[in-house]
Amino acid sequence: MTDLTRRRSDNDRHETWHIYFGDVLIGTIGIRAGVPTSGDQWGWKLGFYPGMEPGTQRSGSSATFDEARAAFERAWQDVEPTLREDDFEAWRRDRDFHAWKYRMQAGGYRMPTQSANGWSRCFCGELIPIACELHVHTAHRGIGA
């Protein structure tokens, strides 16, 4: 079984931790904004899309980070057995496709849908059609990791 790992968010304004199962971002734990000091200061969310259907995500709040982490881990123990490798792969494919798309846009490359004939050139030099998902997921697998 792959252990859960956490990485601090790049957001300097809020203390937020991203929770990963392998290379899949499955949730967050962070300080809640706008909560009175008498309320739970830490919130957690477990869920990723695509991969988990809307409505199957879990969330909660706790007084401390350690309590939030423990609650997150308990929820994960309930959810993880219901997931298949295909669920994680759906998230990876979506992550990589979006990273590829943003790199195309940042480099000034046209998407195939932006040309009259439905073809374009990838930043790697490959000629790609509108149905370019196969190219993205073979030539650029892991681009968003």
Side-chain angles (χ1 to χ4, degrees), residues 59-102:
S59 63
S61 62
S62 301
T64 68
F65 173 81
D66 288 333
E67 291 173 4
R69 187 182 70 191
F72 185 99
E73 289 175 357
R74 282 191 302 275
W76 177 246
Q77 288 175 352
D78 291 340
V79 169
E80 195 266 337
T82 68
L83 300 171
R84 303 177 329 262
E85 179 56 31
D86 289 348
D87 300 324
F88 299 112
E89 186 60 23
W91 185 87
R92 288 182 194 106
R93 291 173 71 88
D94 186 68
R95 172 201 63 193
D96 291 346
F97 183 82
H98 281 86
W100 172 82
K101 178 177 74 173
Y102 297 142

Short mmCIF file of all heavy atoms in Angstrom, two decimals, residues 59-102:
data_model
loop_
_atom_site.label_atom_id
_atom_site.label_comp_id
_atom_site.label_asym_id
_atom_site.label_seq_id
_atom_site.Cartn_x
_atom_site.Cartn_y
_atom_site.Cartn_z
N SER A 59 -15.40 15.68 4.04
CA SER A 59 -14.77 16.88 4.59
C SER A 59 -15.15 17.02 6.05
O SER A 59 -16.11 16.40 6.52
CB SER A 59 -15.18 18.12 3.80
OG SER A 59 -16.57 18.34 3.93
N GLY A 60 -14.40 17.86 6.75
CA GLY A 60 -14.70 18.11 8.15
C GLY A 60 -13.80 19.20 8.69
O GLY A 60 -12.99 19.79 7.98
N SER A 61 -13.95 19.48 9.97
CA SER A 61 -13.13 20.49 10.62
C SER A 61 -12.70 19.97 11.98
O SER A 61 -13.34 19.09 12.56
CB SER A 61 -13.91 21.81 10.77
OG SER A 61 -15.04 21.62 11.59
N SER A 62 -11.61 20.55 12.47
CA SER A 62 -11.02 20.13 13.74
C SER A 62 -10.35 21.33 14.40
O SER A 62 -10.00 22.31 13.74
CB SER A 62 -9.98 19.03 13.53
OG SER A 62 -10.57 17.91 12.92
N ALA A 63 -10.11 21.20 15.68
CA ALA A 63 -9.47 22.29 16.43
C ALA A 63 -7.99 22.42 16.10
O ALA A 63 -7.45 23.52 16.07
CB ALA A 63 -9.67 22.07 17.93
N THR A 64 -7.31 21.30 15.84
CA THR A 64 -5.87 21.33 15.60
C THR A 64 -5.52 20.61 14.30
O THR A 64 -6.31 19.83 13.78
CB THR A 64 -5.10 20.63 16.75
OG1 THR A 64 -5.39 19.22 16.71
CG2 THR A 64 -5.46 21.22 18.11
N PHE A 65 -4.30 20.87 13.83
CA PHE A 65 -3.83 20.18 12.64
C PHE A 65 -3.80 18.68 12.87
O PHE A 65 -4.21 17.90 12.00
CB PHE A 65 -2.43 20.68 12.25
CG PHE A 65 -1.82 19.89 11.14
CD1 PHE A 65 -2.16 20.13 9.81
CD2 PHE A 65 -0.90 18.88 11.40
CE1 PHE A 65 -1.61 19.38 8.78
CE2 PHE A 65 -0.35 18.13 10.39
CZ PHE A 65 -0.70 18.39 9.07
N ASP A 66 -3.27 18.24 14.01
CA ASP A 66 -3.16 16.81 14.28
C ASP A 66 -4.52 16.12 14.29
O ASP A 66 -4.67 15.00 13.79
CB ASP A 66 -2.44 16.56 15.60
CG ASP A 66 -0.95 16.87 15.51
OD1 ASP A 66 -0.40 16.77 14.39
OD2 ASP A 66 -0.35 17.21 16.54
N GLU A 67 -5.54 16.79 14.83
CA GLU A 67 -6.90 16.22 14.81
C GLU A 67 -7.44 16.15 13.39
O GLU A 67 -8.09 15.18 13.01
CB GLU A 67 -7.83 17.04 15.70
CG GLU A 67 -7.53 16.92 17.18
CD GLU A 67 -8.37 17.88 18.02
OE1 GLU A 67 -9.24 18.59 17.47
OE2 GLU A 67 -8.14 17.92 19.24
N ALA A 68 -7.18 17.19 12.60
CA ALA A 68 -7.63 17.20 11.20
C ALA A 68 -6.94 16.09 10.41
O ALA A 68 -7.58 15.40 9.61
CB ALA A 68 -7.35 18.57 10.56
N ARG A 69 -5.65 15.92 10.64
CA ARG A 69 -4.92 14.86 9.94
C ARG A 69 -5.46 13.48 10.31
O ARG A 69 -5.66 12.62 9.45
CB ARG A 69 -3.43 14.94 10.27
CG ARG A 69 -2.60 13.96 9.45
CD ARG A 69 -1.16 14.01 9.82
NE ARG A 69 -1.04 13.43 11.16
CZ ARG A 69 0.04 13.49 11.91
NH1 ARG A 69 1.10 14.15 11.50
NH2 ARG A 69 0.08 12.92 13.09
N ALA A 70 -5.74 13.28 11.58
CA ALA A 70 -6.29 11.98 12.02
C ALA A 70 -7.67 11.74 11.41
O ALA A 70 -7.97 10.62 10.96
CB ALA A 70 -6.36 11.93 13.54
N ALA A 71 -8.51 12.76 11.37
CA ALA A 71 -9.85 12.62 10.77
C ALA A 71 -9.73 12.33 9.28
O ALA A 71 -10.46 11.50 8.73
CB ALA A 71 -10.67 13.88 11.02
N PHE A 72 -8.82 13.01 8.60
CA PHE A 72 -8.58 12.78 7.17
C PHE A 72 -8.17 11.32 6.96
O PHE A 72 -8.69 10.65 6.07
CB PHE A 72 -7.50 13.72 6.66
CG PHE A 72 -7.27 13.64 5.18
CD1 PHE A 72 -7.85 14.55 4.32
CD2 PHE A 72 -6.47 12.64 4.63
CE1 PHE A 72 -7.64 14.47 2.95
CE2 PHE A 72 -6.26 12.54 3.27
CZ PHE A 72 -6.84 13.46 2.43
N GLU A 73 -7.24 10.85 7.76
CA GLU A 73 -6.75 9.47 7.60
C GLU A 73 -7.84 8.43 7.87
O GLU A 73 -7.92 7.42 7.18
CB GLU A 73 -5.54 9.24 8.49
CG GLU A 73 -4.31 9.98 7.99
CD GLU A 73 -3.10 9.90 8.91
OE1 GLU A 73 -3.22 9.30 10.01
OE2 GLU A 73 -2.05 10.43 8.54
N ARG A 74 -8.71 8.70 8.84
CA ARG A 74 -9.84 7.78 9.09
C ARG A 74 -10.77 7.75 7.88
O ARG A 74 -11.22 6.69 7.46
CB ARG A 74 -10.61 8.20 10.35
CG ARG A 74 -9.93 7.82 11.64
CD ARG A 74 -10.84 8.01 12.85
NE ARG A 74 -11.34 9.37 13.00
CZ ARG A 74 -10.68 10.36 13.62
NH1 ARG A 74 -9.50 10.13 14.16
NH2 ARG A 74 -11.22 11.56 13.71
N ALA A 75 -11.06 8.93 7.33
CA ALA A 75 -11.93 8.99 6.15
C ALA A 75 -11.27 8.26 4.97
O ALA A 75 -11.94 7.55 4.23
CB ALA A 75 -12.23 10.44 5.78
N TRP A 76 -9.96 8.43 4.81
CA TRP A 76 -9.24 7.76 3.73
C TRP A 76 -9.32 6.24 3.88
O TRP A 76 -9.46 5.53 2.89
CB TRP A 76 -7.79 8.23 3.68
CG TRP A 76 -6.98 7.53 2.64
CD1 TRP A 76 -5.92 6.71 2.83
CD2 TRP A 76 -7.18 7.58 1.22
NE1 TRP A 76 -5.44 6.24 1.63
CE2 TRP A 76 -6.19 6.77 0.62
CE3 TRP A 76 -8.10 8.23 0.39
CZ2 TRP A 76 -6.11 6.59 -0.75
CZ3 TRP A 76 -8.00 8.06 -0.98
CH2 TRP A 76 -7.01 7.25 -1.54
N GLN A 77 -9.24 5.73 5.09
CA GLN A 77 -9.34 4.29 5.32
C GLN A 77 -10.70 3.75 4.88
O GLN A 77 -10.80 2.61 4.44
CB GLN A 77 -9.09 3.96 6.79
CG GLN A 77 -7.65 4.12 7.19
CD GLN A 77 -7.42 3.92 8.69
OE1 GLN A 77 -8.36 3.81 9.46
NE2 GLN A 77 -6.16 3.88 9.08
N ASP A 78 -11.74 4.58 4.96
CA ASP A 78 -13.06 4.18 4.48
C ASP A 78 -13.18 4.28 2.96
O ASP A 78 -13.81 3.43 2.33
CB ASP A 78 -14.15 5.05 5.11
CG ASP A 78 -14.32 4.81 6.60
OD1 ASP A 78 -13.89 3.74 7.08
OD2 ASP A 78 -14.89 5.69 7.27
N VAL A 79 -12.59 5.32 2.39
CA VAL A 79 -12.75 5.60 0.96
C VAL A 79 -11.82 4.77 0.09
O VAL A 79 -12.22 4.26 -0.96
CB VAL A 79 -12.54 7.11 0.68
CG1 VAL A 79 -12.45 7.39 -0.80
CG2 VAL A 79 -13.65 7.92 1.31
N GLU A 80 -10.58 4.62 0.49
CA GLU A 80 -9.56 3.98 -0.35
C GLU A 80 -9.95 2.59 -0.85
O GLU A 80 -9.75 2.29 -2.03
CB GLU A 80 -8.22 3.95 0.40
CG GLU A 80 -7.04 3.64 -0.49
CD GLU A 80 -6.70 2.17 -0.52
OE1 GLU A 80 -7.07 1.46 0.43
OE2 GLU A 80 -6.07 1.73 -1.50
N PRO A 81 -10.56 1.73 -0.03
CA PRO A 81 -10.93 0.41 -0.55
C PRO A 81 -11.99 0.44 -1.66
O PRO A 81 -12.14 -0.53 -2.39
CB PRO A 81 -11.48 -0.33 0.68
CG PRO A 81 -10.93 0.39 1.85
CD PRO A 81 -10.78 1.82 1.42
N THR A 82 -12.70 1.55 -1.79
CA THR A 82 -13.75 1.65 -2.81
C THR A 82 -13.19 2.11 -4.16
O THR A 82 -13.92 2.11 -5.15
CB THR A 82 -14.85 2.64 -2.38
OG1 THR A 82 -14.32 3.97 -2.37
CG2 THR A 82 -15.40 2.28 -1.01
N LEU A 83 -11.92 2.52 -4.20
CA LEU A 83 -11.33 3.07 -5.41
C LEU A 83 -10.55 2.00 -6.17
O LEU A 83 -10.01 1.08 -5.58
CB LEU A 83 -10.41 4.24 -5.06
CG LEU A 83 -11.10 5.41 -4.35
CD1 LEU A 83 -10.06 6.40 -3.85
CD2 LEU A 83 -12.10 6.08 -5.27
N ARG A 84 -10.51 2.18 -7.50
CA ARG A 84 -9.75 1.28 -8.37
C ARG A 84 -8.60 2.06 -9.00
O ARG A 84 -8.61 3.30 -9.01
CB ARG A 84 -10.65 0.74 -9.49
CG ARG A 84 -11.89 0.02 -9.01
CD ARG A 84 -12.78 -0.43 -10.18
NE ARG A 84 -12.72 0.43 -11.35
CZ ARG A 84 -13.62 1.38 -11.64
NH1 ARG A 84 -14.64 1.60 -10.87
NH2 ARG A 84 -13.49 2.10 -12.73
N GLU A 85 -7.65 1.37 -9.55
CA GLU A 85 -6.53 2.03 -10.23
C GLU A 85 -7.04 2.92 -11.37
O GLU A 85 -6.47 3.98 -11.64
CB GLU A 85 -5.53 1.01 -10.75
CG GLU A 85 -4.34 1.61 -11.49
CD GLU A 85 -3.55 2.64 -10.68
OE1 GLU A 85 -3.48 2.53 -9.44
OE2 GLU A 85 -3.00 3.57 -11.32
N ASP A 86 -8.13 2.52 -12.03
CA ASP A 86 -8.71 3.35 -13.10
C ASP A 86 -9.13 4.72 -12.59
O ASP A 86 -9.08 5.71 -13.33
CB ASP A 86 -9.92 2.66 -13.73
CG ASP A 86 -9.54 1.46 -14.56
OD1 ASP A 86 -8.34 1.28 -14.85
OD2 ASP A 86 -10.45 0.69 -14.93
N ASP A 87 -9.57 4.81 -11.34
CA ASP A 87 -9.98 6.10 -10.76
C ASP A 87 -8.77 7.03 -10.64
O ASP A 87 -8.85 8.21 -10.98
CB ASP A 87 -10.62 5.90 -9.39
CG ASP A 87 -11.85 5.02 -9.45
OD1 ASP A 87 -12.60 5.10 -10.44
OD2 ASP A 87 -12.06 4.24 -8.51
N PHE A 88 -7.65 6.49 -10.18
CA PHE A 88 -6.43 7.29 -10.06
C PHE A 88 -5.89 7.66 -11.44
O PHE A 88 -5.41 8.78 -11.64
CB PHE A 88 -5.37 6.54 -9.26
CG PHE A 88 -5.81 6.22 -7.86
CD1 PHE A 88 -6.04 4.92 -7.47
CD2 PHE A 88 -6.00 7.22 -6.92
CE1 PHE A 88 -6.43 4.61 -6.18
CE2 PHE A 88 -6.40 6.93 -5.63
CZ PHE A 88 -6.62 5.63 -5.26
N GLU A 89 -5.99 6.73 -12.38
CA GLU A 89 -5.50 7.00 -13.74
C GLU A 89 -6.32 8.09 -14.42
O GLU A 89 -5.77 8.90 -15.17
CB GLU A 89 -5.52 5.71 -14.57
CG GLU A 89 -4.89 5.85 -15.93
CD GLU A 89 -3.42 6.26 -15.91
OE1 GLU A 89 -2.72 6.04 -14.90
OE2 GLU A 89 -2.97 6.81 -16.93
N ALA A 90 -7.61 8.14 -14.16
CA ALA A 90 -8.44 9.21 -14.73
C ALA A 90 -7.94 10.57 -14.26
O ALA A 90 -7.87 11.53 -15.04
CB ALA A 90 -9.91 9.01 -14.34
N TRP A 91 -7.59 10.67 -12.99
CA TRP A 91 -7.08 11.93 -12.46
C TRP A 91 -5.73 12.28 -13.10
O TRP A 91 -5.50 13.43 -13.47
CB TRP A 91 -6.94 11.84 -10.94
CG TRP A 91 -6.55 13.15 -10.33
CD1 TRP A 91 -7.37 14.16 -9.93
CD2 TRP A 91 -5.21 13.61 -10.09
NE1 TRP A 91 -6.64 15.21 -9.45
CE2 TRP A 91 -5.30 14.90 -9.53
CE3 TRP A 91 -3.95 13.05 -10.28
CZ2 TRP A 91 -4.19 15.64 -9.16
CZ3 TRP A 91 -2.83 13.79 -9.91
CH2 TRP A 91 -2.96 15.07 -9.36
N ARG A 92 -4.84 11.29 -13.23
CA ARG A 92 -3.53 11.52 -13.84
C ARG A 92 -3.67 12.01 -15.28
O ARG A 92 -2.97 12.93 -15.71
CB ARG A 92 -2.69 10.25 -13.83
CG ARG A 92 -2.19 9.84 -12.49
CD ARG A 92 -1.32 8.58 -12.60
NE ARG A 92 -1.11 8.02 -11.30
CZ ARG A 92 -1.71 6.92 -10.84
NH1 ARG A 92 -2.54 6.23 -11.62
NH2 ARG A 92 -1.47 6.49 -9.63
N ARG A 93 -4.54 11.37 -16.04
CA ARG A 93 -4.74 11.76 -17.44
C ARG A 93 -5.25 13.19 -17.53
O ARG A 93 -4.81 13.97 -18.38
CB ARG A 93 -5.66 10.78 -18.15
CG ARG A 93 -5.02 9.41 -18.34
CD ARG A 93 -6.01 8.39 -18.90
NE ARG A 93 -6.33 8.66 -20.29
CZ ARG A 93 -5.65 8.20 -21.33
NH1 ARG A 93 -4.59 7.45 -21.14
NH2 ARG A 93 -6.03 8.48 -22.56
N ASP A 94 -6.18 13.55 -16.67
CA ASP A 94 -6.72 14.90 -16.65
C ASP A 94 -5.62 15.91 -16.26
O ASP A 94 -5.48 16.96 -16.88
CB ASP A 94 -7.89 14.98 -15.68
CG ASP A 94 -8.59 16.31 -15.72
OD1 ASP A 94 -9.23 16.61 -16.75
OD2 ASP A 94 -8.50 17.06 -14.72
N ARG A 95 -4.83 15.58 -15.24
CA ARG A 95 -3.72 16.45 -14.82
C ARG A 95 -2.76 16.69 -15.97
O ARG A 95 -2.38 17.82 -16.26
CB ARG A 95 -2.98 15.78 -13.65
CG ARG A 95 -1.69 16.49 -13.24
CD ARG A 95 -0.75 15.58 -12.48
NE ARG A 95 -0.32 14.46 -13.32
CZ ARG A 95 0.29 13.39 -12.85
NH1 ARG A 95 0.51 13.24 -11.57
NH2 ARG A 95 0.66 12.41 -13.67
N ASP A 96 -2.36 15.62 -16.66
CA ASP A 96 -1.39 15.74 -17.75
C ASP A 96 -1.97 16.50 -18.93
O ASP A 96 -1.27 17.29 -19.56
CB ASP A 96 -0.90 14.36 -18.18
CG ASP A 96 -0.05 13.69 -17.12
OD1 ASP A 96 0.39 14.37 -16.16
OD2 ASP A 96 0.18 12.47 -17.24
N PHE A 97 -3.24 16.26 -19.25
CA PHE A 97 -3.84 16.97 -20.38
C PHE A 97 -3.87 18.47 -20.10
O PHE A 97 -3.54 19.27 -20.97
CB PHE A 97 -5.25 16.45 -20.68
CG PHE A 97 -5.86 17.13 -21.88
CD1 PHE A 97 -5.55 16.70 -23.15
CD2 PHE A 97 -6.70 18.22 -21.73
CE1 PHE A 97 -6.07 17.34 -24.27
CE2 PHE A 97 -7.23 18.86 -22.83
CZ PHE A 97 -6.92 18.42 -24.11
N HIS A 98 -4.27 18.85 -18.89
CA HIS A 98 -4.33 20.28 -18.57
C HIS A 98 -2.94 20.91 -18.55
O HIS A 98 -2.75 22.04 -19.03
CB HIS A 98 -5.08 20.52 -17.26
CG HIS A 98 -6.55 20.44 -17.44
ND1 HIS A 98 -7.24 19.25 -17.39
CD2 HIS A 98 -7.46 21.40 -17.69
CE1 HIS A 98 -8.51 19.49 -17.61
NE2 HIS A 98 -8.67 20.78 -17.79
N ALA A 99 -1.93 20.22 -18.04
CA ALA A 99 -0.57 20.75 -18.05
C ALA A 99 -0.08 20.92 -19.49
O ALA A 99 0.57 21.92 -19.82
CB ALA A 99 0.36 19.83 -17.27
N TRP A 100 -0.40 19.96 -20.35
CA TRP A 100 -0.03 20.05 -21.76
C TRP A 100 -0.71 21.25 -22.41
O TRP A 100 -0.07 22.04 -23.11
CB TRP A 100 -0.41 18.76 -22.48
CG TRP A 100 -0.25 18.82 -23.97
CD1 TRP A 100 0.90 18.65 -24.67
CD2 TRP A 100 -1.27 19.11 -24.92
NE1 TRP A 100 0.66 18.80 -26.02
CE2 TRP A 100 -0.67 19.08 -26.20
CE3 TRP A 100 -2.63 19.37 -24.82
CZ2 TRP A 100 -1.40 19.31 -27.36
CZ3 TRP A 100 -3.35 19.61 -25.98
CH2 TRP A 100 -2.72 19.58 -27.23
N LYS A 101 -2.00 21.40 -22.16
CA LYS A 101 -2.77 22.50 -22.75
C LYS A 101 -2.19 23.86 -22.31
O LYS A 101 -2.01 24.76 -23.13
CB LYS A 101 -4.23 22.40 -22.32
CG LYS A 101 -5.11 23.53 -22.83
CD LYS A 101 -6.54 23.35 -22.43
CE LYS A 101 -6.73 23.64 -20.96
NZ LYS A 101 -8.14 23.64 -20.54
N TYR A 102 -1.87 24.01 -21.03
CA TYR A 102 -1.31 25.27 -20.54
C TYR A 102 0.06 25.54 -21.13
O TYR A 102 0.40 26.69 -21.42
CB TYR A 102 -1.26 25.28 -19.02
CG TYR A 102 -2.62 25.18 -18.37
CD1 TYR A 102 -2.80 24.44 -17.21
CD2 TYR A 102 -3.73 25.80 -18.92
CE1 TYR A 102 -4.05 24.34 -16.62
CE2 TYR A 102 -4.98 25.69 -18.34
CZ TYR A 102 -5.14 24.96 -17.19
OH TYR A 102 -6.37 24.85 -16.60
#
